[in-house]
Amino acid sequence: MNAKKTQIEPFIFHTLNGLLMIAVAVVTLYPFLNTFAVSLNAGNDTIRGGIYLWPRIWTDQNYRAVFANGNILNAFWVSVARTVLATVLSLFLTSMLAYTLSRKDYILRKPITILVVLTMYFSAGLIPTYFLMKDLHLLNNFLVYIVPGLVSAFNMIVIRTYIQTLPEGLIESAKIDGAGDFRTFISIILPLCQPVLATVALFVAVGQWNSWFDTFLYASSKQELSTLQFELMKLLSSSMNLNSSAAVSSGADPNAAAQNMVTPVSIRAAITIVASLPILVVYPFLQKYFVHGLQLGSVKE
């Protein structure tokens, strides 16, 4: 009797656990799949509602309306450039600061840590920040996307905590072999910090890719510096006027007219897919590091 009970209990647990995970997966995936279905459905038909996982009237007009903007391609490459450069530079400088503040023999470790942490809670505000960017000659300059976010206090704490979990003997042995702090950082610390660096890279990349407000504030008057998110935001803001230009009927066929109609709801869905697809492509490559790095680099102090 006990043997049968021992065999049944794991079966029940794994079955319930599997059903629970399937339910979580469905709840997680449904909003994205629904948005994808709406983006492929005719705009005026979407207004009726009832679109769940499959379009009723298939059309690519929503995506045509998004990519009809001639600035989209250039804005896409600007967003890619800012995301890649900002992520690489931010990781390097933030991890360098984290390594420095993790060293117990550094006499300014505590005061600098306090100053860095204070920036998480206190900000000068929007107007002083704008004048600072102006005084630094960063207005309408590509560097305005890179310089202000080079070092993040939160990311520094995450990386520093991870570094503190590494064996101290590794650093001591490197110093015995004649390696300086910079050589130790490059050759030993950075390779061992791949999990937490991948986690922080995802944070920084997503933030840079989704950012549009800094373009609006600091570079809106220079079209060459416009980012993808800013262009999509402008398109969404003007989507109320898209019907007059995009709803073109080919003859008397009502289905053809429906396929050429776009609405704010359908445009919003297409914009969401276009904006999120690049990050969804990158995420699987970083996922294997994400949980491990976040657990080991979590704040424990």
Side-chain angles (χ1 to χ4, degrees):
M1 189 68 178
N2 291 334
K4 290 183 178 180
K5 185 178 179 180
T6 304
Q7 294 176 355
I8 292 176
E9 287 180 351
F11 174 77
I12 295 176
F13 171 78
H14 290 302
T15 302
L16 293 177
N17 187 57
L19 293 175
L20 178 61
M21 292 299 102
I22 292 174
V24 171
V26 170
V27 171
T28 304
L29 288 175
Y30 175 75
F32 180 80
L33 296 177
N34 175 254
T35 302
F36 186 61
V38 171
S39 70
L40 291 172
N41 195 73
N44 62 343
D45 180 71
T46 302
I47 299 175
R48 295 167 48 199
I51 304 297
Y52 300 107
L53 297 176
W54 199 258
R56 263 195 308 262
I57 302 178
W58 288 79
T59 181
D60 62 349
Q61 188 61 36
N62 299 316
Y63 290 98
R64 288 177 181 271
V66 171
F67 289 104
N69 185 348
N71 300 318
I72 286 291
L73 186 59
N74 178 73
F76 172 80
W77 289 115
V78 172
S79 292
V80 170
R82 71 171 289 180
T83 300
V84 173
L85 289 176
T87 301
V88 172
L89 293 176
S90 178
L91 278 182
F92 183 75
L93 295 179
T94 304
S95 58
M96 185 181 295
L97 176 62
Y99 171 67
T100 302
L101 298 182
S102 70
R103 306 304 305 143
K104 296 181 180 179
D105 53 350
Y106 181 50
I107 58 176
L108 297 178
R109 172 172 169 253
K110 288 187 176 181
I112 293 181
T113 300
I114 293 174
L115 290 176
V116 172
V117 171
L118 284 177
T119 62
M120 296 174 60
Y121 302 99
F122 299 98
S123 173
L126 185 61
I127 295 177
T129 302
Y130 178 85
F131 282 113
L132 176 62
M133 297 299 110
K134 182 178 179 180
D135 292 340
L136 293 175
H137 303 287
L138 291 178
L139 297 184
N140 295 319
N141 190 327
F142 180 77
L143 292 178
V144 77
Y145 298 142
I146 310 296
V147 174
L150 279 178
V151 177
S152 166
F154 176 79
N155 293 339
M156 185 278 296
I157 294 174
V158 171
I159 298 174
R160 187 196 64 174
T161 306
Y162 185 93
I163 294 175
Q164 289 174 341
T165 64
L166 300 177
E168 187 69 23
L170 293 174
I171 300 176
E172 294 178 355
S173 62
K175 290 184 176 180
I176 292 175
D177 292 337
D181 286 325
F182 189 75
R183 179 62 181 274
T184 301
F185 171 72
I186 295 295
S187 302
I188 297 178
I189 300 300
L190 280 184
L192 293 176
C193 287
Q194 286 185 9
V196 72
L197 291 180
T199 302
V200 173
L202 187 62
F203 292 160
V204 177
V206 171
Q208 287 287 340
W209 181 260
N210 290 333
S211 180
W212 65 270
F213 194 58
D214 51 359
T215 306
F216 174 73
L217 288 177
Y218 309 127
S220 58
S221 60
K222 195 169 184 179
Q223 184 59 49
E224 304 85 59
L225 296 179
S226 183
T227 59
L228 178 62
Q229 303 294 341
F230 185 62
E231 290 297 323
L232 295 179
M233 184 276 298
K234 292 194 297 183
L235 178 61
L236 183 61
S237 299
S238 61
S239 61
M240 295 297 295
N241 300 322
L242 285 174
N243 288 334
S244 59
S245 60
V248 179
S249 175
S250 58
D253 186 358
N255 291 329
Q259 291 179 355
N260 287 319
M261 179 74 72
V262 295
T263 63
V265 175
S266 60
I267 284 293
R268 188 187 310 122
I271 287 174
T272 301
I273 297 299
V274 171
S276 59
L277 190 60
I279 292 297
L280 292 177
V281 172
V282 173
Y283 181 78
F285 297 98
L286 300 177
Q287 185 180 15
K288 62 180 180 180
Y289 299 108
F290 187 79
V291 176
H292 180 62
L294 195 61
Q295 287 177 345
L296 294 181
S298 59
V299 181
K300 301 176 183 178
E301 297 181 352

